[in-house]
Amino acid sequence: MASPDSITLRNLNGDFVMNKKLSDDFDPILSMQGVGWLTRKAIGLATLTLHIKEYTDDEGVVHIDIDQTATGGVKGTSEKRVLNNTEREHNDHVFGKVKGSTKWMKLSDVEDPFLKSKWLPETEKDDVIENTVTSMDSGWVASQVWAFQEVNGMRMYARNVVVTKGKDRKEARLVYDYVSK
């Protein structure tokens, strides 16, 4: 389902379900990140829902808390994003020890052509969300840009993802159906 115009990166509250038909295959990225075959197959079979809460703290810094659940209510990864470009360490039950940062960014400042591609014109007027995560155990680096794209004539929340490990590079676009607020 398309995201209504009232859902923006400045008001991303709600539930979003990954649309597997519109998203790219994510298995090659998970494999490069060291996620085991059985876990990857389980992830591939599951329906992933993002429960997103966005808020601004007393210092004016935006936070985006995302709790993921898979089919049957199985707990996925939790993302606690603070959009101030401060690097934070986290021990993730899927990806291990990672460090990452999240920030607002002008689309014109995004350097990678894939990360910069397919965004709606509204994105050029406002900021996108840029996130970088580095595995402290496995040596991969994941870069994401979040915003809205037109997919099959619908305005959809999406993430363009690039993961590198040494000279290996994988790309994927993840597209999400808006479910509710």
Side-chain angles (χ1 to χ4, degrees):
M1 173 189 275
S3 294
D5 291 340
S6 62
I7 300 298
T8 68
L9 293 180
R10 304 278 179 185
N11 177 30
L12 201 55
N13 295 299
D15 293 342
F16 298 81
V17 176
M18 184 186 292
N19 186 316
K20 292 182 189 178
K21 290 180 182 176
L22 299 177
S23 296
D24 296 334
D25 181 13
F26 206 65
D27 188 75
I29 287 178
L30 293 172
S31 178
M32 188 168 70
Q33 290 175 309
V35 177
W37 181 86
L38 188 59
T39 302
R40 292 195 325 269
K41 295 309 161 197
I43 290 170
L45 291 172
T47 299
L48 181 67
T49 302
L50 306 180
H51 308 280
I52 301 177
K53 177 184 177 189
E54 182 173 347
Y55 58 95
T56 303
D57 66 21
D58 293 339
E59 285 81 39
V61 177
V62 174
H63 295 247
I64 299 178
D65 295 345
I66 304 172
D67 290 317
Q68 298 180 11
T69 55
T71 307
V74 176
K75 182 178 177 5
T77 299
S78 290
E79 303 175 44
K80 307 296 183 196
R81 309 290 187 181
V82 182
L83 280 74
N84 65 357
N85 201 31
T86 299
E87 196 167 75
R88 290 174 179 73
E89 291 186 11
H90 170 71
N91 196 8
D92 187 276
H93 73 278
V94 174
F95 299 110
K97 193 170 184 179
V98 297
K99 61 182 175 180
S101 62
T102 305
K103 64 183 176 182
W104 295 107
M105 183 177 218
K106 293 287 181 201
L107 185 61
S108 59
D109 293 334
V110 175
E111 294 180 12
D112 185 277
F114 179 78
L115 294 176
K116 198 173 192 164
S117 66
K118 301 184 181 179
W119 302 111
L120 286 173
E122 69 189 46
T123 305
E124 294 174 18
K125 299 176 204 160
D126 201 2
D127 294 333
V128 295
I129 295 173
E130 189 268 343
N131 173 263
T132 302
V133 176
T134 302
S135 170
M136 298 169 76
D137 299 326
S138 301
W140 51 261
V141 177
S143 300
Q144 300 183 21
V145 172
W146 307 354
F148 292 86
Q149 298 180 357
E150 183 176 326
V151 183
N152 293 343
M154 297 180 294
R155 181 179 178 273
M156 306 292 284
Y157 171 60
R159 297 179 178 187
N160 286 355
V161 182
V162 171
V163 180
T164 58
K165 183 174 182 179
K167 294 185 180 197
D168 196 9
R169 175 187 168 99
K170 306 285 187 220
E171 301 172 346
R173 176 176 74 158
L174 305 178
V175 178
Y176 297 87
D177 290 318
Y178 175 75
V179 179
S180 67
K181 194 166 192 178

